[in-house]
Amino acid sequence: MGLKKPTSSPSRSPLSLGPKSTPSLSTLTTSSPITAHDSLLRLARRSQDIPPSPGSSIAGLIATSGPLSKMNLAGTPGAHTISPGEPNYDPLENPVTPYPVQTMGVPAFRHEEFGWCANQEYRHTSTYSDKSPVQHESDEPPYYVFLTTYISYLLLISIGHLRDFFGKKFYPAYYKDLIPYDGYAALNSDFDSFYTRRLKTRLDDCFGKPVTGVPGRSIVTFDRTSDDSNLNFKYSGEKTRCLNISSYNYLGFAAATGGCADAVEESIRRYGVSAGGPRLDAGTLDLHLQAEQLVARFTGKEDAMVVSMGFATNSTTLPALVGKGCLVISDELNHSSIRFGTRLSGAAVRSFKHNDMGELEKLLREVISQGQPRTHRPWKKILVIVEGIYSMEGNLVDLPMLIKLKAKYKFYLYVDEAHSIGGLGPNGRGVCDYFGIHPSNVDILMGTLTKSFGAAGGYIAADKATIDRLRLRSHAAVYAESISPAVLTQIIAALGSIMGVSPPLALPPPDSPSDHLSLSGPLTSHPVYGPAPATALPAWLNLPPALLNGTEGRERLRRLAFNARYLSTGLRKMGFIVWGHRDSPIVPMLTFNPAKMPLFSRMMVDRMGGIDQTPIVVVVVGYPATPLVSSRVRFCVSASHTKDDIDLLLRACDEVGTVLDLKHGKPEGGMWDVERVIANAKELVIS
Amino acid sequence: MNSTLLNSTLEATAPPFQAVFDFLSLSLAFAENTFWSVPGSAILVRYVKNSHQNDPYRTLLELALGLFALFTILSRRTRTDRSAKNFVDLSEKEIDELVADWTPDPLVASVPESSVDNQLLSSLPIILGPVGPRVKLASNPNKTVINLASYNFTGLAENEKMKETALETLKVYGVGTCGPPGFYGTIDVHRALEANISAFLQTPSTIIYAQDFSTISSVIPSFAKRGDIIVADRLCNFAIQKGLQISRSTIKWYDHGDMSSLEAALESVTREAKRKGGKLTRRFIVTEGMFENDGFISDLEKLVELKRKYKFRLILDESMSFGVIGATGRGLTEFSGVPATEVDMLVGSMARGLNAGGGFCSGSLVVTEHQRINSATFVFSAALPAMLATTASAGMYLLSSTPSIFAALQENTKVARSILDKLDHLIHIPSDPLSPLIHIQLANPPFPDPVDQQGILAQERLLQDVVEECLSTSGVMITRARRLRGQETFEARPSIKIALTSGLTKKEVEKAVQGVKSALVKVLGGSVKKR
């Protein structure tokens, strides 16, 4: 029964970041033959290395800031203060606006994770106003931009084919895995992989860059270079801390410090990390039920169910809702998980033009009057699936119109709030909250817990009958791992702190900034979004007052709303073509030409020009995730960003965008320069 | 227009028509001149002439092809569009009436209070506090029960080292990753875990996923596409079934665990392919290491031999066996002494055997790198939380450095089997004698193989009674294997699951399994006598 011990096997050292290779190059450049024994020694070392002890590779990095980073706090008696303008000043580690320790005490977060931004003027409430349309008109670039974009792709494709043509003759080794050999068909055909090999590889350095630490306001990336056009990467071991405008950390709950992290710590001590199996076997802990009750309360629905993965929330639930004889009508830009789920369900699928309610109505009239294809029997039920915020476009769903259509056409409505939950609405409860529509108007509210709440997994909220049915029929409930208790605690703490916990809703601590603006107002006008009852939280959970009374949660919501609107409006004013709604925390900025994607990404990290050279990591997206001509940069703003961070980003975009000729927009009232935008931030947000 | 009328007008107005004809011939001549002046037009004409001379039908064919292409481009692509034969033209008023008339089914079928489903939800055990060999349940918070239901084979769930690792990770990484691997969601601990799994299994490369269930159901369709052929075991778990469905490949089933049936299937596929000729398609064998549905352990040596003989690739789902069988928990490959490199795609779970979270696929570099771009649940889902990655690494370290864990687990399995095997007149155990996951089915006779949903339901009810009896009388928590009846490709026989753990002593296991035995005898014994 023993393992046949291989004499040698290529493997990467567990601690080092091995080379990334494409499928076509199967050689491991740093591979070394190690025996099983060696590798286990390394395993051992690895697991002991995790604590942030001095000298450990991970820890060394965090140690630069130190726990709670008192050293870096401006105004701390005896501490050395590096203020803006000094040679070693880094805006990622020290606030531009100094932190008044004497009056405020030590902040609960590291500035690198969650920025210090006390100015109450830089706050906004995310709410719908019928003065501005749900769908913004977007500017079109001049024709030469389209023309050059098409020519670029033509060139890229021709060169790719040329390289393949000659490559097959001169470097057959490269194509070894793409052609049948020894009676096996190739795993990946030459044709199918053309796009990946010849186009995507060119910008591979912009994707999948390894990071370490918390994906908070800033993130630490591993530096890497490539000598062979991104086929393999070399890691020097150097790391760079960058401003993170890429993670889905909308409310800034990704943190290793603060009240939520402390709650998770307590939870790990009590529960460990495993829930021990699928929900319906014996994998249901008291924490699962508590988290579900809290999610239900948060979304304003009767009941909710949590699933251990956001993608699986859609893909394992949809088959339990619809089946043969049912019709799913899906927005053409819906997420892959929705398509995955509908395909599994066996229901018929039709799609409508993105966010086009007119076309949806036409389609509804057609499908209801025609019935099922061939038999003309009426559909058993019709489920319309839309997303709250579309992750690549930043568009909001036109929920008011959808609700009107729903009343007339009697379809069921499924809203995927992966990006909008927490990120939208005066109470952070997503699109219903934002539009002031009672959540009972939407049959099923789905969302993820990965993004706004810094945890993992997803939820489905609906009425009790539906959820009970899903608990029994959803694939995930029966067969998939249940959420880890540590992750559940993060969910409970994050949700609880946004809702505030009652009774009694604690008063804001006397030394905290005045929060009267956020405690009154929108909250009371939505009785459905009340605070969390104290009984819904685990008895052992000990949240600090700022979390319990909801002040911190509300600060987060209001900071996010400000940052989102400021960045989106600011970029537009500066002449960039920006899509999406101004209240959306996803801000896509169009680059059009494919070559500008990697250039923008690299230049934002390298920051050649200007006095300030803080590196910024951005996400670029191109075909096939977007239409061919609309390659884009996608910013995801967070409550953890300060106004100074957004200023920094705007300046960087100005610097890079001018060089790359990206300012093709025609903003109303003419183009502003970046300093004018920054000076008028407040006005831009209110406008 | 009437033809006589046309004739008369033609005669009457000859001069104006003359002008029209003149204009037509002039423009035709102009078009011809322009055509000839275009460089290369002579070559085209020569080519058409030649080809027409050589093969007149070809011209016809090419013309038809051209028209067809034009037709295809112009016609709309949606399935039930207006041009379809089946489309009924309705007036706006009729549509309004139909819309007003239409009453959809309720979103979910209503469940009567007394149904089995409802009972299932109310009888669901809710664990208060941590998962371990002894737990407290919400139904009776004052009593501690023995837990043989949770997947905690090697006792990692309550291991202090795992907790420490999680705490240390929390302090550096927080909880969530807030992004997919492609967008700054690849953390160094993910890469370390991948390297650790590769080292643990001795495979060249590994890719990790955020959830175990979604791993295999995405790995299969990332390789197998329409037209490819998959030969799969009939009793494969639900996740595999879903992966097969998504792949849209041609599926051939072989009898559960039957290597001769597999060989016959492979033979027929090969013969068929030879007969048809054409392009070589990708061919896969999909099976499990240790079956989630019944605890049967596959014969890997034979599988590898067959796969090599017929040139199929092997996708082996070790979700249930990784971290569970083998001398140090490396799964079926270690158990059968076959190097893991013989398996093309080795899929496993970090949530079950390692009590952490997520899943992985191990194989050659080509295999794993392909998935980083083409596997839906890897590309479109947020990455695994850092603490689950580090605890998985710690779990592997603990398993490989503590051989006594597996000795204890094997001992406990043996004890449990020796007690349960005596009940062969009541129950049937399809699980391997060495499998720490024991499935108990009703013996066949006196309980016949259920043929319909009614029969399945009746057996499940009986088994549920055993589960409840066992908990209330003996204080041992076991679980009925939950299934998605009606959604499964093949309905597995109803069974009870016992998941043994090294966290209990031999004596404790003996006592607990005796409890299970007496519950079985009490509930099933009566039914046997009645017959």
Side-chain angles (χ1 to χ4, degrees):
Chain A
M1 234 174 64
L3 180 71
K4 268 183 203 162
K5 198 173 170 187
T7 47
S8 78
S9 152
S11 177
R12 281 171 260 167
S13 150
L15 272 172
S16 75
L17 282 145
K20 187 200 162 296
S21 266
T22 59
S24 36
L25 276 195
S26 50
T27 46
L28 269 160
T29 44
T30 65
S31 68
S32 60
I34 57 164
T35 61
H37 179 69
D38 277 346
S39 69
L40 290 174
L41 273 181
R42 286 173 201 223
L43 266 172
R45 237 177 279 137
R46 162 82 234 148
S47 61
Q48 282 156 7
D49 257 349
I50 294 155
S53 54
S56 133
S57 61
I58 308 158
L61 201 138
I62 299 297
T64 56
S65 53
L68 286 187
S69 149
K70 268 192 190 171
M71 289 294 286
N72 299 327
L73 292 174
T76 310
H80 173 63
T81 312
I82 307 175
S83 8
E86 284 183 40
N88 285 332
Y89 175 71
D90 179 357
L92 294 179
E93 286 178 5
N94 297 282
V96 177
T97 319
Y99 179 81
V101 171
Q102 287 87 346
T103 51
M104 310 294 300
V106 179
F109 299 98
R110 296 178 191 139
H111 187 60
E112 306 93 290
E113 281 177 16
F114 194 90
W116 162 251
C117 181
N119 191 340
Q120 286 294 321
E121 293 199 331
Y122 302 140
R123 303 288 188 272
H124 186 69
T125 303
S126 160
T127 185
Y128 176 61
S129 125
D130 29 4
K131 268 175 263 161
S132 62
V134 178
Q135 191 84 311
H136 284 268
E137 289 295 312
S138 52
D139 290 328
E140 289 281 307
Y143 278 110
Y144 81 86
V145 175
F146 283 128
L147 196 71
T148 47
T149 305
Y150 281 119
I151 292 174
S152 305
Y153 276 106
L154 207 69
L155 260 174
L156 284 170
I157 291 169
S158 326
I159 292 174
H161 281 300
L162 267 177
R163 286 180 67 182
D164 272 3
F165 179 78
F166 289 108
K168 275 179 194 162
K169 300 216 155 121
F170 299 113
Y171 306 100
Y174 175 90
Y175 295 88
K176 200 186 98 234
D177 298 314
L178 298 171
I179 42 175
Y181 71 100
D182 187 28
Y184 290 91
L187 264 185
N188 197 357
S189 82
D190 166 4
F191 177 77
D192 290 346
S193 65
F194 179 80
Y195 171 79
T196 317
R197 286 182 297 118
R198 292 302 179 205
L199 277 75
K200 185 180 167 287
T201 311
R202 289 173 179 267
L203 41 132
D204 256 357
D205 58 325
C206 308
F207 297 113
K209 200 172 199 180
V211 300
T212 184
V214 171
R217 171 178 162 261
S218 66
I219 195 163
V220 176
T221 59
F222 286 88
D223 296 349
R224 59 180 184 184
T225 50
S226 177
D227 302 335
D228 50 6
S229 314
N230 298 341
L231 289 178
N232 292 288
F233 287 105
K234 281 186 187 155
Y235 291 87
S236 62
E238 296 286 306
K239 297 164 208 139
T240 310
R241 186 177 279 283
C242 309
L243 181 70
N244 178 13
I245 189 86
S246 302
S247 294
Y248 305 134
N249 175 29
Y250 300 127
L251 291 178
F253 277 108
T257 47
C260 292
D262 294 341
V264 176
E265 186 179 335
E266 177 64 25
S267 156
I268 294 172
R269 287 189 204 288
R270 283 170 181 269
Y271 287 84
V273 282
S274 174
R279 284 295 295 278
L280 286 192
D281 278 3
T284 304
L285 302 179
D286 44 358
L287 282 179
H288 285 104
L289 302 186
Q290 282 156 347
E292 287 176 345
Q293 279 318 302
L294 214 56
V295 168
R297 197 119 187 135
F298 188 83
T299 51
K301 289 301 234 180
E302 227 173 52
D303 206 351
M305 175 180 119
V306 290
V307 179
S308 51
M309 181 191 197
F311 188 104
T313 314
N314 277 327
S315 69
T316 64
T317 306
L318 285 170
L321 281 173
V322 286
K324 245 187 163 174
C326 302
L327 176 70
V328 170
I329 298 184
S330 167
D331 190 292
E332 62 177 351
L333 294 183
N334 273 350
H335 191 248
S336 155
S337 58
I338 296 174
R339 280 181 246 157
F340 202 97
T342 21
R343 234 164 95 183
L344 285 180
S345 73
V349 192
R350 297 290 296 273
S351 64
F352 62 97
K353 197 168 158 255
H354 173 56
N355 246 351
D356 188 335
M357 292 300 128
E359 194 176 299
L360 172 63
E361 179 163 15
K362 244 191 251 163
L363 182 63
L364 281 164
R365 291 176 72 81
E366 184 197 315
V367 294
I368 296 177
S369 64
Q370 295 295 322
Q372 298 189 32
R374 289 165 46 80
T375 60
H376 291 291
R377 286 218 185 149
W379 295 102
K380 284 186 187 156
K381 53 195 169 193
I382 296 177
L383 184 68
V384 173
I385 307 181
V386 291
E387 289 186 35
I389 295 181
Y390 289 85
S391 63
M392 292 294 165
E393 335 294 314
N395 287 334
L396 302 193
V397 62
D398 190 348
L399 196 62
M401 193 61 201
L402 256 180
I403 301 292
K404 275 184 209 153
L405 289 179
K406 178 172 153 58
K408 186 168 176 197
Y409 295 99
K410 294 172 279 191
F411 55 81
Y412 296 108
L413 184 57
Y414 183 111
V415 180
D416 176 340
E417 294 219 72
H419 293 270
S420 52
I421 193 70
L424 268 190
N427 304 293
R429 317 292 168 90
V431 277
C432 289
D433 186 21
Y434 178 79
F435 286 109
I437 287 169
H438 197 283
S440 62
N441 285 300
V442 180
D443 298 284
I444 291 178
L445 285 169
M446 174 271 170
T448 58
L449 304 161
T450 319
K451 303 184 169 97
S452 292
F453 311 117
Y459 69 83
I460 297 270
D463 55 45
K464 188 160 184 321
T466 308
I467 295 298
D468 273 353
R469 187 78 190 145
L470 290 180
R471 286 209 170 102
L472 295 168
R473 308 293 297 159
S474 144
H475 305 168
V478 181
Y479 290 112
E481 64 187 89
S482 53
I483 304 193
S484 153
V487 176
L488 286 169
T489 311
Q490 169 78 15
I491 295 165
I492 292 174
L495 288 179
S497 73
I498 301 171
M499 299 162 83
V501 182
S502 87
L505 199 68
L507 288 169
D511 58 340
S512 86
S514 154
D515 190 56
H516 64 276
L517 276 174
S518 54
L519 261 182
S520 62
L523 174 74
T524 43
S525 61
H526 286 71
V528 63
Y529 298 131
T535 48
L537 271 59
W540 52 263
L541 192 69
N542 212 349
L543 293 176
L547 292 186
L548 274 180
N549 64 20
T551 29
E552 195 184 298
R554 227 163 301 283
E555 275 283 288
R556 287 171 191 267
L557 296 176
R558 290 161 53 77
R559 276 176 67 168
L560 174 65
F562 177 87
N563 289 345
R565 223 169 146 89
Y566 175 35
L567 179 63
S568 177
T569 319
L571 286 174
R572 281 188 169 97
K573 267 283 170 205
M574 282 159 60
F576 290 103
I577 296 186
V578 174
W579 283 2
H581 197 280
R582 288 204 298 153
D583 282 329
S584 145
I586 295 173
V587 183
M589 187 176 103
L590 279 288
T591 64
F592 301 101
N593 297 62
K596 288 180 186 170
M597 277 190 289
L599 276 176
F600 191 91
S601 172
R602 287 166 205 156
M603 287 169 85
M604 288 298 265
V605 175
D606 295 343
R607 299 292 305 278
M608 281 86 150
I611 312 156
D612 170 72
Q613 299 204 343
T614 311
I616 303 172
V617 288
V618 299
V619 164
V620 289
V621 221
Y623 179 81
T626 70
L628 198 65
V629 286
S630 47
S631 305
R632 64 198 68 168
V633 181
R634 192 186 62 170
F635 304 115
C636 293
V637 297
S638 159
S640 65
H641 294 130
T642 62
K643 196 242 171 197
D644 295 322
D645 293 337
I646 308 289
D647 294 349
L648 195 155
L649 178 67
L650 286 172
R651 287 199 183 97
C653 283
D654 183 60
E655 168 193 308
V656 177
T658 310
V659 176
L660 294 183
D661 184 29
L662 294 179
K663 293 181 177 178
H664 296 301
K666 295 166 208 72
E668 254 176 77
M671 246 187 240
W672 287 10
D673 75 359
V674 61
E675 294 309 324
R676 189 172 166 199
V677 167
I678 290 171
N680 293 295
K682 240 182 88 189
E683 289 69 31
L684 285 178
V685 168
I686 293 166
S687 68
Chain B
M1 206 185 271
N2 193 306
S3 64
T4 48
L5 187 74
L6 185 78
N7 279 343
S8 62
T9 40
L10 253 180
E11 280 160 26
T13 54
F17 270 93
Q18 193 60 49
V20 172
F21 290 138
D22 285 350
F23 174 72
L24 275 180
S25 63
L26 262 175
S27 22
L28 214 66
F30 177 73
E32 202 180 333
N33 278 337
T34 329
F35 175 74
W36 285 114
S37 61
V38 172
S41 57
I43 302 171
L44 184 75
V45 169
R46 219 178 309 131
Y47 167 76
V48 174
K49 267 187 186 162
N50 266 341
S51 97
H52 187 74
Q53 206 165 19
N54 294 344
D55 186 359
Y57 289 108
R58 185 170 152 186
T59 320
L60 205 67
L61 187 75
E62 276 172 3
L63 206 67
L65 270 177
L67 282 177
F68 179 72
L70 206 68
F71 173 76
T72 319
I73 291 165
L74 291 180
S75 65
R76 288 177 58 186
R77 258 162 252 181
T78 41
R79 262 170 288 162
T80 49
D81 61 322
R82 279 160 194 284
S83 61
K85 254 187 280 169
N86 207 25
F87 191 86
V88 186
D89 234 335
L90 297 163
S91 71
E92 287 298 301
K93 200 173 150 245
E94 284 169 315
I95 295 180
D96 281 333
E97 280 171 15
L98 282 167
V99 166
D101 241 22
W102 181 60
T103 334
D105 287 0
L107 184 56
V108 289
S110 59
V111 187
E113 283 295 315
S114 58
S115 74
V116 195
D117 277 1
N118 260 337
Q119 282 171 13
L120 199 158
L121 271 186
S122 55
S123 68
L124 197 67
I126 294 152
I127 299 176
L128 299 178
V131 171
R134 291 169 211 84
V135 291
K136 288 201 167 80
L137 298 183
S139 51
N140 186 1
N142 299 320
K143 194 180 157 194
T144 304
V145 298
I146 299 287
N147 180 5
L148 293 183
S150 300
Y151 293 145
N152 180 24
F153 299 102
T154 45
L156 291 177
E158 69 272 16
N159 191 296
E160 284 303 317
K161 180 91 194 157
M162 298 282 278
K163 286 187 195 175
E164 266 168 48
T165 310
L167 285 174
E168 285 153 6
T169 314
L170 171 73
K171 284 174 191 154
V172 183
Y173 296 90
V175 179
T177 50
C178 287
F183 299 155
Y184 308 99
T186 308
I187 316 181
D188 51 356
V189 295
H190 292 143
R191 304 291 293 254
L193 173 59
E194 289 176 353
N196 288 344
I197 294 177
S198 302
F200 194 57
L201 289 172
Q202 296 290 308
T203 51
S205 175
T206 300
I207 174 172
I208 55 170
Y209 286 75
Q211 188 199 40
D212 59 359
F213 179 84
S214 297
T215 308
I216 184 93
S217 52
S218 182
V219 169
I220 295 175
S222 74
F223 293 107
K225 311 278 180 205
R226 202 189 284 277
D228 294 339
I229 295 165
I230 299 177
V231 178
D233 189 292
R234 233 172 243 279
L235 207 70
C236 275
N237 65 37
F238 195 80
I240 294 181
Q241 292 169 24
K242 293 297 119 182
L244 297 178
Q245 189 187 339
I246 285 280
S247 76
R248 293 173 168 159
S249 305
T250 312
I251 318 284
K252 306 265 187 227
W253 300 98
Y254 69 91
D255 294 339
H256 175 45
D258 184 347
M259 288 297 115
S260 56
S261 166
L262 169 63
E263 182 154 20
L266 299 180
E267 182 67 50
S268 93
V269 167
T270 315
R271 216 179 315 118
E272 184 81 347
K274 228 176 238 162
R275 195 175 58 79
K276 274 193 188 155
K279 211 178 120 223
L280 186 62
T281 54
R282 284 175 285 255
R283 295 176 295 190
F284 301 91
I285 299 172
V286 179
T287 186
E288 282 183 80
M290 185 164 91
F291 281 78
E292 189 180 344
N293 277 335
D294 72 350
F296 175 88
I297 295 179
S298 291
D299 180 356
L300 187 58
E301 253 173 272
K302 186 76 189 167
L303 273 170
V304 168
E305 183 199 316
L306 288 177
K307 136 203 148 71
R308 285 182 164 259
K309 183 172 166 199
Y310 291 96
K311 298 203 184 298
F312 275 59
R313 290 186 172 93
L314 177 60
I315 304 183
L316 183 68
D317 186 358
E318 290 230 51
S319 295
M320 210 65 243
S321 46
F322 178 75
V324 179
I325 58 172
T328 54
R330 285 159 221 238
L332 182 62
T333 48
E334 186 183 24
F335 182 85
S336 11
V338 175
T341 40
E342 293 288 334
V343 181
D344 297 272
M345 294 108 195
L346 196 155
V347 177
S349 159
M350 282 103 69
R352 296 180 189 170
L354 299 180
N355 284 100
F360 69 87
C361 175
S362 216
S364 67
L365 202 62
V366 179
V367 162
T368 55
E369 295 306 315
H370 176 84
Q371 292 172 54
R372 287 185 205 278
I373 311 154
N374 295 294
S375 184
T377 60
F378 180 83
V379 175
F380 296 107
S381 138
L384 185 72
M387 66 170 67
L388 297 183
T390 52
T391 44
S393 284
M396 278 185 292
Y397 165 65
L398 287 167
L399 293 190
S400 49
S401 61
T402 337
S404 60
I405 293 179
F406 284 93
L409 184 60
Q410 280 311 319
E411 196 59 30
N412 288 350
T413 308
K414 235 184 257 167
V415 169
R417 282 304 289 262
S418 68
I419 297 169
L420 291 172
D421 283 344
K422 287 183 191 136
L423 287 178
D424 55 356
H425 59 295
L426 285 179
I427 55 167
H428 169 66
I429 299 180
S431 313
D432 192 281
L434 293 174
S435 156
L437 176 75
I438 301 174
H439 276 261
I440 301 176
Q441 298 172 348
L442 297 176
N444 183 27
F447 301 97
D449 215 357
V451 282
D452 55 355
Q453 292 290 342
Q454 281 304 320
I456 289 175
L457 222 65
Q459 291 207 2
E460 291 200 325
R461 255 192 209 129
L462 214 52
L463 291 173
Q464 187 63 34
D465 288 346
V466 176
V467 169
E468 274 154 37
E469 169 67 25
C470 188
L471 181 64
S472 60
T473 312
S474 322
V476 177
M477 177 166 72
I478 52 175
T479 179
R480 190 161 57 75
R482 313 281 187 186
R483 304 263 155 71
L484 287 165
R485 298 291 176 202
Q487 294 187 66
E488 313 256 353
T489 315
F490 302 102
E491 299 288 1
R493 277 186 73 175
S495 60
I496 284 177
K497 264 197 292 201
I498 294 183
L500 292 164
T501 170
S502 65
L504 292 170
T505 62
K506 198 174 148 186
K507 272 234 168 76
E508 286 168 320
V509 170
E510 200 173 332
K511 188 167 166 249
V513 178
Q514 285 292 356
V516 177
K517 182 184 164 190
S518 54
L520 281 166
V521 170
K522 189 170 168 197
V523 175
L524 303 181
S527 323
V528 171
K529 268 176 219 155
K530 269 181 226 153
R531 272 156 211 263

